[in-house]
Amino acid sequence: SSILIQDVSKTFETKDGSVQALNHVSLSIETGDIYGIIGMSGAGKSTLVRCMNFLEVPSEGKVLIEENPSEFSPKELRKEREKIGMIFQHFNLLMQKNVLENVCFPLYIQGKKKAEARAKALELLEIVGLADRAKAYPAQLSGGQKQRVAIARALAPIEILLCDEATSALDPQTTSSILELL
């Protein structure tokens, strides 16, 4: 996959007037590249990430994934989003589901059969070092373990992995191990 961000601007209308979150941003990311987006709070980092996974539509400019333009029908958009994994600051795990089922969730959405999804999920839990916690629930895990589950879940269906402050809720040692894992 390659991501091409061409002259993207994003303006939000608020009760206090217009706020320009992105101002003519251009960026090219090739397959295998790792990019960090750094800036002050409110600089537009999350807005840029949300444009990259099509949760926000740019006011101007284009986001192209593998030369596919960002003007998709709702059905095509869902299909495109399936290729993009997201890791957030607050894990966003399903609290009523165990670790294994959390990782299976995006695979079920893609239409994978239960046995196939579970086999893939166990493989991913092995990668993040949590195969032994497959039957545990998120409430029984530490912050670092929850983020590892979130990483396994994000990796399940994807070609592109986007992280929005994935380590900001973690202590320095856990942050270091999560960054190493990523």
Side-chain angles (χ1 to χ4, degrees):
S1 294
S2 60
I3 303 169
L4 187 60
I5 297 163
Q6 291 181 319
D7 206 28
V8 166
S9 294
K10 179 67 184 180
T11 304
F12 293 100
E13 298 304 326
T14 70
K15 61 180 189 325
D16 302 322
S18 296
V19 175
Q20 186 155 39
L22 300 173
N23 187 6
H24 300 286
V25 176
S26 292
L27 181 63
S28 175
I29 303 171
E30 292 303 319
T31 301
D33 283 353
I34 298 172
Y35 270 71
I37 302 166
I38 301 166
M40 303 287 284
S41 181
K45 301 181 298 294
S46 292
T47 301
L48 183 58
V49 169
R50 289 174 65 82
C51 286
M52 288 162 74
N53 66 7
F54 311 118
L55 290 173
E56 292 287 355
V57 178
S59 306
E60 289 177 62
K62 280 187 178 152
V63 176
L64 302 139
I65 308 277
E66 297 172 331
E67 284 104 50
N68 290 329
S70 51
E71 293 92 35
F72 294 109
S73 72
K75 189 178 177 182
E76 289 169 332
L77 194 53
R78 281 194 296 276
K79 202 85 194 130
E80 281 302 306
R81 279 204 196 110
E82 283 178 6
K83 299 178 192 170
I84 302 171
M86 272 300 290
I87 307 171
F88 299 93
Q89 180 179 356
H90 297 298
F91 324 127
N92 291 11
L93 299 178
L94 302 163
M95 300 308 280
Q96 292 77 28
K97 301 275 185 198
N98 67 25
V99 163
L100 185 67
E101 287 299 310
N102 263 280
V103 180
C104 284
F105 185 67
L107 297 166
Y108 293 151
I109 289 171
Q110 279 189 328
K112 300 270 189 280
K113 299 274 184 282
K114 198 167 189 172
E116 188 187 346
R118 286 178 164 223
K120 173 83 171 167
L122 280 169
E123 208 178 288
L124 290 161
L125 287 171
E126 194 75 52
I127 290 168
V128 300
L130 282 179
D132 60 331
R133 304 304 312 266
K135 292 201 161 60
Y137 285 81
Q140 299 167 301
L141 303 177
S142 70
Q145 288 172 322
K146 285 179 192 165
Q147 197 57 297
R148 284 172 181 272
V149 175
I151 291 167
R153 184 184 59 188
L155 291 173
I158 61 147
E159 295 170 21
I160 296 165
L161 180 62
L162 301 175
C163 305
D164 192 0
E165 299 201 33
T167 60
S168 60
L170 306 171
D171 62 80
Q173 192 177 344
T174 309
T175 292
S176 179
S177 76
I178 293 292
L179 291 175
E180 197 177 315
L181 174 61
L182 288 170

